[in-house]
């Protein structure tokens, strides 16, 4: 993957393709996760989504996207391991298929530059009215988590699982912190983002590479190097004692059982491919033991899944179930894990799971967002695994590899959400 350094301040990767009739631009700012800056950065993403100095209202922003042949513009925040990201994305029809396409391309890059680098602000502070509106919007979004039992349970599990404070907080911050933010403080967080964050840009579509470089070189990118190499992966020492919390809430008609298991292998250890297969066998697919046995055969859970996070090394299991079945479900989950640890699974299921993993992996070719995500991942981790190597690694996973991976998991925390009696 070839990258170009723009204005001594940003990495640019261009992915030329005639596969899609759309052009995709994504600009990513990343920094180390710190609990004191997460909420402010999340609010920056809200503010820069709805206004700028030129487009002062959300309606004006929307009208401009209509003028750009129905462009889709959005902002987002998320976390990968120990890095926090603010990302801007713009999708437009491929200029190749538009009369006056060159003008469309220029206007699209000008618009994105305006939204990122020219916010609606004065005297080093965001506009007060827009700030108040978006502050409330973010608080509403954070408050809504409490009404979604699945999201709420996983958020509470995260709080009792991680040792590092920044890892316990949602990528969008928390409601209390957002409520105490002010226009000047968030503007400073925005300036810190421009001046200190690692900045990566990915452009995908039927485009002329030099033309894209010329357009981005006009952006007011701050020449800088990120303060330090960002470490995207997070690993913590295993706990000797289980961290457990049981909580009762009103307005619930079913329970949530969530558990976090540590699987402490190094981020790029070859065992990660065995872990992918093991997780799919445990609870990551409809062929998994948790789905087939706990949900379908025994009808203990309405929903159940497992998910392994490569960036943190944790495997999470979550189940929605009747209150009276929590203990029985917990016991059966442990039995499914033990079965895999003892090699109690058939090769036919494993082969089907491998085929499913490879099929899902290859389907990334058909998604512009997935292709761009791979490029961002390579920029962040500074590692590349070729498509063929990835497939070969999955295909070469043996039954012993799956057993060994399962034997490495260690239960670290359990959160149970129950209706009030």
């Amino acid at each position: 993957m070839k990258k170009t350094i723009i204005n001594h301040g940003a990495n640019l990767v261009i992915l030329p393709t005639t596969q899609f009739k759309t052009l995709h631009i994504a600009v990513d700012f990343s920094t180390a996760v710190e609990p004191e800056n997460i909420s402010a950065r999340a609010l920056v993403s809200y503010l820069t989504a709805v206004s700028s100095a030129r487009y002062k209202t959300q309606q004006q922003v929307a009208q401009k996207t209509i003028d750009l042949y129905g462009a889709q513009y959005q902002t987002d925040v998320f976390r990968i391991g120990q890095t926090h990201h603010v990302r801007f994305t713009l999708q437009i029809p491929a200029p190749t298929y538009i009369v006056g396409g060159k003008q469309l391309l220029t206007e699209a890059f000008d618009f994105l530059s305006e939204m990122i680098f020219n916010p609606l602000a004065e005297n080093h502070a965001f506009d007060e009215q827009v700030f108040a509106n978006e502050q409330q919007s973010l608080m509403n979004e954070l408050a809504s988590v409490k009404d979604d039992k699945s999201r709420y349970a996983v958020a509470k599990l995260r709080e009792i699982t991680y040792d590092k404070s920044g890892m316990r907080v949602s990528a969008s911050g928390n409601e209390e912190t957002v409520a105490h933010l002010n226009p000047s403080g968030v503007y400073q967080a925005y300036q810190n983002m421009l001046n200190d964050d690692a900045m990566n840009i990915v452009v995908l579509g039927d485009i002329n590479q030099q033309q894209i470089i010329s357009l981005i070189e006009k952006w007011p990118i701050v020449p800088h190097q990120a303060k330090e190499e960002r470490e995207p992966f997070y690993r913590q020492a295993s706990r000797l004692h289980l961290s457990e919390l049981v909580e009762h809430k009103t307005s619930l008609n079913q329970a949530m059982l969530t558990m976090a298991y540590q699987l402490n292998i190094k981020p790029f250890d070859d065992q990660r491919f065995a872990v992918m297969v093991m997780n799919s066998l445990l609870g990551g697919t409809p062929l998994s033991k948790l789905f087939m046995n706990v949900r379908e055969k025994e009808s203990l859970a309405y929903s159940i899944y497992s998910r392994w996070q490569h960036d943190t090394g944790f495997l999470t299991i979550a189940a929605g179930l009747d209150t009276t079945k929590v203990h029985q479900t917990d016991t059966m989950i442990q039995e499914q894990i033990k079965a895999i640890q003892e090699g109690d699974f058939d090769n036919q299921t494993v082969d089907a799971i491998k085929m499913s993993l490879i099929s899902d992996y290859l389907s990334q070719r058909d998604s512009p967002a997935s292709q761009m995500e791979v490029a961002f991942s390579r920029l962040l981790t500074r590692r590349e695994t070729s498509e063929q190597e990835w497939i070969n690694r999955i295909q070469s996973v043996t039954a012993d590899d799956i057993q060994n991976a399962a034997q490495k998991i260690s239960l670290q925390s359990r959160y149970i959400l129950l209706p009030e009696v």
Side-chain angles (χ1 to χ4, degrees), residues 302-317:
Y302 304 115
S303 63
I304 190 165
Y305 68 87
S306 68
R307 181 167 67 96
W308 178 58
Q309 294 174 258
H310 181 213
D311 58 332
T312 66
F314 276 92
L315 186 149
T316 300
I317 295 176

Side-chain angles (χ1 to χ4, degrees), residues 22 34 105 218:
T22 48
E34 297 295 345
L105 188 67
K218 296 176 183 177

Side-chain angles (χ1 to χ4, degrees), residues 246-286:
V246 178
E247 186 176 5
H248 293 81
K249 286 178 66 68
T250 57
S251 304
L252 286 179
N253 54 19
Q254 70 181 60
M256 285 296 302
L257 168 64
T258 60
M259 292 174 281
Y261 293 80
Q262 192 172 43
L263 212 162
N264 216 352
I265 64 169
K266 293 180 179 179
F268 287 103
D269 193 302
D270 287 344
Q271 292 179 86
R272 71 187 187 277
F273 297 97
V275 174
M276 293 179 202
V277 179
M278 183 273 292
N279 172 66
S280 294
L281 178 62
L282 175 60
T285 69

Side-chain angles (χ1 to χ4, degrees), residues 86-107:
V86 179
R87 185 171 294 178
F88 303 80
T89 59
L90 182 67
Q91 174 185 320
I92 61 171
T96 308
Y97 303 101
I98 301 291
V99 176
K102 185 175 181 180
Q103 181 63 28
L104 170 64
L105 188 67
T106 300
E107 288 187 21

Side-chain angles (χ1 to χ4, degrees), residues 117-254:
F117 298 104
N118 195 22
L120 184 57
E122 189 174 359
N123 297 324
H124 308 291
F126 282 103
D127 178 85
E128 290 189 5
Q129 186 58 57
V130 175
F131 182 90
N133 292 341
E134 296 311 307
Q135 182 182 39
Q136 189 60 55
S137 294
L138 178 53
M139 290 170 62
N140 292 344
E141 169 62 25
L142 292 167
S144 72
V145 173
K146 299 173 185 176
D147 300 323
D148 183 329
K149 63 182 181 299
S150 298
R151 291 171 63 199
Y152 180 78
V154 171
K156 296 297 288 187
L157 179 70
R158 181 177 59 237
E159 289 178 12
I160 66 172
T161 297
Y162 292 112
D163 294 338
K164 190 172 181 180
S165 58
M167 296 297 295
R168 300 184 198 129
V169 183
S170 159
S172 296
N174 64 68
E175 191 176 353
E176 182 180 355
T177 304
V178 172
H180 288 90
L181 295 173
N182 60 68
S184 59
V186 175
Y187 185 81
Q188 184 58 56
Y190 162 75
Q191 289 296 322
N192 292 343
M193 181 188 83
L194 296 184
N195 292 317
D196 300 329
D197 277 26
M199 182 180 178
N200 293 314
I201 308 167
V202 176
V203 182
L204 178 146
D206 185 4
I207 42 176
N208 177 283
Q209 296 192 51
Q210 190 53 54
Q211 188 178 15
I212 298 301
I213 292 172
S214 298
L215 288 168
I216 295 180
E217 283 180 337
K218 296 176 183 177
W219 287 7
I221 295 171
V222 179
H224 74 285
Q225 286 187 325
K227 286 184 177 178
E228 71 272 348
E229 289 288 351
R230 308 305 186 193
E231 176 51 63
F233 298 102
Y234 175 79
R235 296 293 185 268
Q236 69 184 37
S238 296
R239 294 173 178 171
L240 298 178
H241 304 287
L242 179 68
S243 177
E244 190 164 20
L245 177 64
V246 178
E247 186 176 5
H248 293 81
K249 286 178 66 68
T250 57
S251 304
L252 286 179
N253 54 19
Q254 70 181 60

Side-chain angles (χ1 to χ4, degrees), residues 320-338:
L321 63 168
D322 286 336
T323 306
T324 57
K325 296 180 178 178
V326 171
H327 178 71
Q328 186 181 356
T329 303
D330 192 349
T331 300
M332 194 166 185
I333 288 172
Q334 308 313 316
E335 290 173 355
Q336 306 313 301
I337 294 172
K338 185 176 180 182

